[in-house]
Amino acid sequence: MKTIKIPGLDKPVTTLIQGSDYFRPSVYERVCSVLDRYFAIGGNTIDTAYIYCGGESEVAIGQWMKDRNNREDVVILTKGAHHDQNGPRVNPEAISKDLFESLERLGTDYIDLYALHRDDPNVPVSIIIDALNEHIKAGRIKAIGGSNWTVQRLQEANEYAAENGLVGFTFSSPNLSLAKAKEPFWAGCVSADASDCAWHKEHQLPILSWSSQARGFFTGRFTPEDRSNEDLVRVFYSDENWERLRRAEQLAKEKGVTTIQIALAYVLNQPFPTCALIGAQNEEELQSCYEGSKIVLTEDEINWLEHVEKSVS
């Protein structure tokens, strides 16, 4: 499987990253089946978070790594400092609390890729970068990133880090997909638009994209008339996205692949390093993602897929 390099981490990161937002010890056999299958095809990176399944996702992954005795072969991407019922928690105390608990759940003494699950623009980047660097110096974190951070805040944080001899963010994890979001999935979420991608191209900062396949928009199961999935309607239903779907279908037919594989290839053929978080739960879905990850798209094909006029109807 193809890989990218993320500064701060001595392991390569595979371009397909296995999601785990449904992992629990109560379905441990399923967890093992998914992870064993994913690693068998060459994957090495698991995405999780402090809040997933109330913490049970990290516990299940920790048990799997212990049973397989493979911690050094695994790249763990986990996230912390998500807001709670009282509001934002992007501060040194919350970061430390979540990180130490994640380490305990995962049964490890370090996190390969640690991302802040949300941002709080009211907190100066200096406070956040200083706090994260303390954990890097202690060996608890290898590389840091922002999940759902704007490029403006990423740049501000990295400028502060560079000016003060500190480690900055070396990856970002927003939503990036061929279907362009009309509004955030959830409060505080960020979807990369054209200007964001231009910034990532300029800085070559990797994107690890969640909902990289637009939550099933490109499966063919949905039509403009089918409004049964409220979130999909709210976020992705637009004339421009239906045209992108039509073009993806056309290109898929020309290449002898599936439409959703073209959508995945769009994410993985950007002019900057990218990975796609996937939710494959069976052999068929995983194989589809694996084959899609090998498709090469030209710059012209990427532009044709993406750049749809607003007047499309």
Side-chain angles (χ1 to χ4, degrees), residues 28 32 36 60-71:
Y28 186 59
C32 291
D36 289 345
I61 293 166
Q63 184 62 49
W64 177 79
M65 291 192 298
K66 180 181 178 181
D67 289 347
R68 299 297 184 270
N69 191 29
N70 65 353
R71 174 65 186 97

Side-chain angles (χ1 to χ4, degrees), residues 48-52 54-56 58 78-81 89 97-99 101-102 105 114 117:
T48 186
Y50 177 82
I51 66 166
Y52 285 177
E56 291 189 80
E58 291 180 326
T78 196
K79 304 176 286 292
R89 300 174 57 252
K97 177 187 177 298
D98 290 5
L99 173 59
E101 196 163 342
S102 290
R105 292 169 179 169
Y114 195 74
H117 212 160

Side-chain angles (χ1 to χ4, degrees), residues 5-155:
K5 171 68 177 172
I6 294 183
L9 192 62
D10 55 6
K11 304 173 191 175
V13 177
T14 50
T15 54
L16 295 180
I17 297 176
Q18 179 64 51
S20 68
D21 60 357
Y22 55 92
F23 284 13
R24 297 178 183 273
S26 60
V27 293
Y28 186 59
E29 287 187 11
R30 182 183 178 197
V31 171
C32 291
S33 176
V34 168
L35 292 180
D36 289 345
R37 191 182 295 123
Y38 166 71
F39 273 74
I41 66 165
N44 77 343
T45 306
I46 307 171
D47 168 65
T48 186
Y50 177 82
I51 66 166
Y52 285 177
C53 300
E56 291 189 80
S57 172
E58 291 180 326
V59 172
I61 293 166
Q63 184 62 49
W64 177 79
M65 291 192 298
K66 180 181 178 181
D67 289 347
R68 299 297 184 270
N69 191 29
N70 65 353
R71 174 65 186 97
E72 292 308 305
D73 300 323
V74 179
V75 175
I76 292 293
L77 162 61
T78 196
K79 304 176 286 292
H82 195 282
H83 59 253
D84 62 14
Q85 67 274 12
N86 298 316
R89 300 174 57 252
V90 188
N91 58 67
E93 294 74 27
I95 291 169
S96 290
K97 177 187 177 298
D98 290 5
L99 173 59
F100 279 110
E101 196 163 342
S102 290
L103 290 167
E104 183 177 353
R105 292 169 179 169
L106 289 160
T108 185
D109 57 5
Y110 71 95
I111 302 297
D112 302 278
L113 303 171
Y114 195 74
L116 298 177
H117 212 160
R118 291 289 190 273
D119 187 16
D120 180 359
N122 294 315
V123 179
V125 292
S126 58
I127 293 175
I128 297 168
I129 290 295
D130 286 350
L132 289 169
N133 269 259
E134 288 183 15
H135 294 296
I136 292 173
K137 290 175 184 175
R140 291 184 284 265
I141 299 172
K142 300 293 185 182
I144 55 174
S147 178
N148 299 296
W149 276 52
T150 66
V151 296
Q152 292 79 14
R153 282 277 285 180
L154 290 171
Q155 180 160 337

Side-chain angles (χ1 to χ4, degrees), residues 150-197:
T150 66
V151 296
Q152 292 79 14
R153 282 277 285 180
L154 290 171
Q155 180 160 337
E156 186 182 352
N158 282 357
E159 287 175 354
Y160 170 79
E163 290 167 1
N164 291 275
L166 299 172
V167 177
F169 290 140
T170 54
F171 69 95
S172 179
S173 186
N175 162 245
L176 170 64
S177 67
L178 177 56
K180 304 307 174 186
K182 296 186 296 178
E183 62 179 78
F185 281 87
W186 302 284
C189 285
V190 171
S191 291
D193 60 18
S195 63
D196 295 337
C197 288

Side-chain angles (χ1 to χ4, degrees), residues 259-270:
T259 305
I260 200 165
Q261 287 173 332
I262 290 294
L264 179 63
Y266 164 84
V267 172
L268 296 179
N269 281 270
Q270 295 295 315

